[in-house]
Amino acid sequence: MSWFKRGSDRKSPESPAPAHADTDPNTCLEVFQNHWKQALAVISCQDKKSSLSNGRATPDGVATVLSNLEHMVTLLVNEDDDGGLPGPILKCVLSTELLESFCDWCALNVPVHEKLRLQQLRLFELIISQSKQLLLVHKPVIKPLLKLLIAVSDSQEINNGELEFKLVLVLHQICICISQQSLILESFFSTDTDHGPARFLIFSLLIPYIHREGPVGQRARDALLLIMTLSARHPHIGQYIANNSDFCPVLATGLSGLYSSLPRRLTPPSDDWHAITREDCIRIPDLQMFLNSLQFSNAVIQVAHPLVRDQLIHFIYSGFLVPVLAPALHQVSEDHVTFLFAVGL
């Protein structure tokens, strides 16, 4: 399966330039604080030239904040820890809760500066994927990140393809971090929240993309498969997925919908044609989407917690194989039967 061959490389195409290893930490902190001072002047409306009467920023003000935050993120992700403790820059981030201040300011300005959410996601993607320190265990980092993810997923802008891809990319990066550092898992799985999506928000935000086509869907399925693998090692995650989420029914019923959209007849390219080829998938996008979901279902069954595996098999059997595929196999059309066997069902 293609999912088992993909790596979990955390490198980003937007990786910041590394800082020099011999740079004095105190000097870096001073530069970091200076950038935050400039950004804060706009955020707190102290810079009147960059602020409007309603508290929002001018385009120049937005550019100033984003430029300074980008420099700050570069300094943060290149900082080493201090003997296992947070480095001075990270200490500053945590004590001032500046990421939350930045995100709250962005929320105020999003209605007039639509690119802000995309820039926020880009900065958080760099923080998650490039940091030398373990950041996703600190509430001053996690809280604004989760608020941003919720805001983006609930916004009308989510129909923007670039924004949607960046959202799923950030979710995928979080899943990679969780799979590499199990300590992070408890930061995103709430034992205090009642049953529902909020208990494992990262997972819940990925479910709508299970059957999505293209890079967005592929990235989401990769992330979900990482969570399925985690569920096998952490029983409480498996129990939550099986008993308190709609992951299994969404995956199984989606197969039925995708199958229903397939053509009932294929024109063989040659007399010896007997199986679906890559060229067939390119020519018939609906076929590729169905095969992606079918292969993903198989991968989930192989790696997930037994509760998830058994529930998914149950839903596929009762929601796809019996009511959808079985009647199709009994159809007398020779073309239809040929198609089913070519697909491998």
Side-chain angles (χ1 to χ4, degrees), residues 114-297:
E114 59 183 24
K115 291 291 186 180
L116 267 178
R117 282 203 175 107
L118 184 62
Q119 295 301 323
Q120 283 178 273
L121 288 171
R122 188 178 69 84
L123 290 174
F124 269 107
E125 195 272 326
L126 292 176
I127 289 173
I128 296 167
S129 65
Q130 300 299 319
S131 179
K132 296 180 179 180
Q133 302 180 80
L134 193 60
L135 299 186
L136 294 182
V137 294
H138 300 291
K139 286 187 177 180
V141 177
I142 296 171
K143 185 179 177 182
L145 171 59
L146 292 179
K147 286 172 64 176
L148 172 62
L149 296 176
I150 294 171
V152 172
S153 63
D154 289 344
S155 73
Q156 295 180 347
E157 299 172 71
I158 196 60
N159 294 324
N160 177 316
E162 188 179 8
L163 184 66
E164 188 176 55
F165 177 77
K166 187 62 73 173
L167 170 65
V168 173
L169 177 61
V170 170
L171 292 170
H172 181 242
Q173 289 291 347
I174 294 172
C175 290
I176 291 175
C177 290
I178 292 175
S179 68
Q180 294 174 344
Q181 294 280 351
S182 57
L183 178 65
I184 298 174
L185 176 61
E186 301 310 319
S187 299
F188 290 93
F189 184 82
S190 174
T191 56
D192 299 326
T193 307
D194 292 335
H195 302 327
R199 192 172 183 189
F200 198 6
L201 183 65
I202 302 304
F203 173 70
S204 300
L205 292 178
L206 285 164
I207 291 179
Y209 299 100
I210 288 179
H211 299 292
R212 180 66 63 87
E213 61 181 324
V216 169
Q218 193 62 67
R219 183 80 67 167
R221 289 187 289 273
D222 288 347
L224 285 165
L225 197 62
L226 289 172
I227 294 176
M228 294 302 113
T229 304
L230 278 172
S231 74
R233 303 200 305 264
H234 301 275
H236 63 296
I237 300 298
Q239 291 167 6
Y240 168 79
I241 294 172
N243 300 327
N244 303 113
S245 82
D246 58 357
F247 172 78
C248 291
V250 168
L251 181 52
T253 56
L255 280 175
S256 298
L258 291 171
Y259 177 79
S260 299
S261 68
L262 294 177
R264 291 298 177 261
R265 186 176 188 279
L266 287 178
T267 303
S270 62
D271 292 339
D272 61 349
W273 181 87
H274 63 282
I276 296 295
T277 64
R278 180 178 294 274
E279 289 71 24
D280 294 322
C281 293
I282 294 174
R283 185 164 50 89
I284 310 172
D286 287 343
L287 175 59
Q288 184 64 68
M289 290 175 62
F290 173 73
L291 291 177
N292 284 343
S293 293
L294 188 64
Q295 291 172 350
F296 176 67
S297 300

Side-chain angles (χ1 to χ4, degrees), residues 9-23:
D9 188 4
R10 293 180 61 199
K11 293 296 182 181
S12 165
E14 302 180 66
S15 302
H20 294 294
D22 57 352
T23 303

Side-chain angles (χ1 to χ4, degrees), residues 294-344:
L294 188 64
Q295 291 172 350
F296 176 67
S297 300
N298 182 50
V300 169
I301 290 170
Q302 292 184 54
V303 303
H305 186 279
L307 284 176
V308 179
R309 178 197 63 207
D310 294 345
Q311 189 182 87
L312 181 56
I313 290 174
H314 166 74
F315 277 108
I316 289 177
Y317 178 80
S318 60
F320 173 56
L321 295 179
V322 173
V324 178
L325 189 59
L329 288 172
H330 286 87
Q331 291 185 10
V332 296
S333 168
E334 181 179 345
D335 290 332
H336 191 72
V337 173
T338 300
F339 175 80
L340 289 173
F341 280 102
V343 172

Side-chain angles (χ1 to χ4, degrees), residues 40-61:
L40 187 59
V42 179
I43 291 173
S44 61
C45 299
Q46 295 175 5
D47 185 349
K48 301 302 181 182
K49 293 181 180 180
S50 300
S51 305
L52 302 174
S53 57
N54 59 5
R56 291 173 176 167
T58 64
D60 287 344

